[in-house]
């Protein structure tokens, strides 16, 4: 009781990222993306954007936050990605 949402699995984030995120980024064309929490950042990583290399996937989340921003390429446009800690 009192929870605002049920827990979600990592596979749920990966599936949603691959199904919807690329299309949304293509429509919105953001200059920056702020991923709120490790699951959101892992969802971005699962999309295999150009610019996010495999060494980033092996970082601990705190290291990923400390070493940001990262640059990804979508449709020949660079987007800055800032992973941040979720406040909840």
């Amino acid at each position: 009781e009192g929870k605002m949402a049920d827990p979600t699995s990592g596979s749920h984030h990966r599936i949603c990222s691959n199904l919807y995120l690329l299309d949304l980024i293509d429509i919105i064309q953001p200059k920056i993306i702020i991923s709120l929490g490790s699951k959101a950042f892992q969802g971005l990583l699962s999309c295999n954007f150009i610019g996010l290399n495999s060494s980033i996937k092996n970082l601990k989340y705190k290291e990923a936050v400390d070493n940001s921003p990262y640059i990804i390429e979508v449709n020949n446009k660079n987007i800055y990605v800032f992973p941040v800690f979720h406040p909840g």
Side-chain angles (χ1 to χ4, degrees):
E1 189 174 323
K3 293 184 177 183
M4 295 187 66
D6 290 332
T8 56
S9 68
S11 63
H12 175 81
H13 287 265
R14 284 188 298 278
I15 291 167
C16 288
S17 295
N18 286 314
L19 287 176
Y20 305 109
L21 188 58
L22 285 172
D23 289 338
L24 283 173
I25 291 172
D26 189 38
I27 292 167
I28 297 170
Q29 298 181 2
K31 291 183 176 30
I32 65 168
I33 295 173
I34 300 172
S35 62
L36 188 57
S38 63
K39 288 184 181 179
F41 187 62
Q42 291 301 321
L44 278 171
L45 292 179
S46 72
C47 290
N48 294 318
F49 292 109
I50 297 170
L52 283 178
N53 61 38
S54 60
S55 65
I56 295 169
K57 294 180 181 184
N58 296 326
L59 288 177
K60 292 183 180 177
Y61 187 64
K62 182 182 181 326
E63 293 171 338
V65 171
D66 290 343
N67 293 314
S68 69
Y70 302 97
I71 299 173
I72 60 172
E73 184 181 317
V74 179
N75 295 331
N76 298 318
K77 294 180 183 175
N78 288 337
I79 301 171
Y80 291 88
V81 176
F82 293 86
V84 297
F85 292 107
H86 193 287

